[in-house]
Amino acid sequence: MAQKDKVIVAFEGEKSAWRIREILESMGTVSCVTCKTADQVRRVVRKQRIYAVVCGYKLPDASAEELFDDLPDTCPMLLIATQAMLDLCGNRDIFQLSAPVSKGMLVSSVRMLLQMGHRLEQYIHPRRKEEEEHLIRQAKELLMRRHGMTEEDAHYYLQKQSMDSGVRMVQTAQMILSDT
């Protein structure tokens, strides 16, 4: 049996998440992981190979744009929200569907994202991700050494600084390392 592509479905409301998950899993080729917060999405993406994120405009702890900045380059995002909310999104790299969305439009959009995710994975140099992870690990180690933080605290600190300043976590890690 072929392995199913994993997709994260992230919405504040359980009803929306459940409905979208049900539609996507009916495709037969997708396995969904449901998350309620951006932090949950980040944790799942670190631990599993995720090919796309489908989410609402705002999660309790971050906007879709803030979350998108923390996703790997190989993980496209589909934002589903009212047109008024979509108009607020300034990042044109985030794919958008205006709610309410038809089952056919949702399925075809996710299929396109999955194909894109697979293509990106083939073309983006794997060493880049390793280098970024190495920089983040170095910054965490520095924070742990200098400030007596646990690894979890250091990671949270990097995430929070990144969100507050609107930059990717690797950029925050670089700033911390350059201050030494």
Side-chain angles (χ1 to χ4, degrees):
M1 186 170 137
Q3 187 173 343
K4 294 182 177 186
D5 289 331
K6 288 192 178 173
V7 173
I8 291 178
V9 176
F11 288 85
E12 265 186 299
E14 276 186 51
K15 205 175 203 180
S16 298
W18 181 83
R19 184 178 146 263
I20 289 173
R21 179 181 184 151
E22 186 178 67
I23 292 169
L24 294 179
E25 288 186 342
S26 74
M27 293 168 54
T29 57
V30 172
S31 171
C32 294
V33 178
T34 306
C35 298
K36 288 184 180 180
T37 67
D39 190 48
Q40 286 176 331
V41 173
R42 290 180 192 102
R43 282 192 307 245
V44 171
V45 167
R46 275 197 308 271
K47 293 178 183 176
Q48 300 180 34
R49 178 64 194 109
I50 302 295
Y51 284 93
V53 172
V54 179
C55 68
Y57 181 79
K58 186 89 172 115
L59 295 167
D61 54 346
S63 70
E65 288 180 278
E66 292 166 333
L67 174 59
F68 181 76
D69 288 339
D70 291 334
L71 295 177
D73 294 336
T74 56
C75 186
M77 177 185 278
L78 175 63
L79 171 58
I80 300 174
T82 63
Q83 190 59 54
M85 298 305 282
L86 294 177
D87 291 341
L88 297 174
C89 181
N91 190 328
R92 296 299 159 211
D93 291 330
I94 299 174
F95 294 89
Q96 302 177 3
L97 278 179
S98 182
V101 61
S102 72
K103 179 179 176 179
M105 184 61 80
L106 176 62
V107 168
S108 65
S109 296
V110 170
R111 280 193 178 128
M112 178 202 63
L113 287 181
L114 292 173
Q115 289 173 352
M116 175 183 282
H118 285 286
R119 271 188 258 132
L120 286 169
E121 189 174 55
Q122 290 173 349
Y123 293 111
I124 290 182
H125 200 281
R127 187 155 169 77
R128 180 175 167 200
K129 183 176 180 187
E130 289 172 16
E131 290 169 358
E132 288 181 356
E133 288 173 358
H134 179 71
L135 285 171
I136 291 169
R137 198 169 35 257
Q138 283 182 313
K140 282 193 226 179
E141 288 169 3
L142 180 67
L143 290 168
M144 291 162 62
R145 236 184 3 260
R146 281 201 179 153
H147 304 289
M149 295 180 176
T150 64
E151 183 182 0
E152 190 175 295
D153 290 340
H155 185 82
Y156 177 78
Y157 178 83
L158 285 171
Q159 272 185 332
K160 179 88 170 96
Q161 291 299 315
S162 297
M163 286 174 37
D164 290 349
S165 59
V167 298
R168 294 181 62 223
M169 219 157 96
V170 70
Q171 293 168 307
T172 301
Q174 288 169 327
M175 286 187 277
I176 287 170
L177 292 169
S178 68
D179 287 344
T180 59

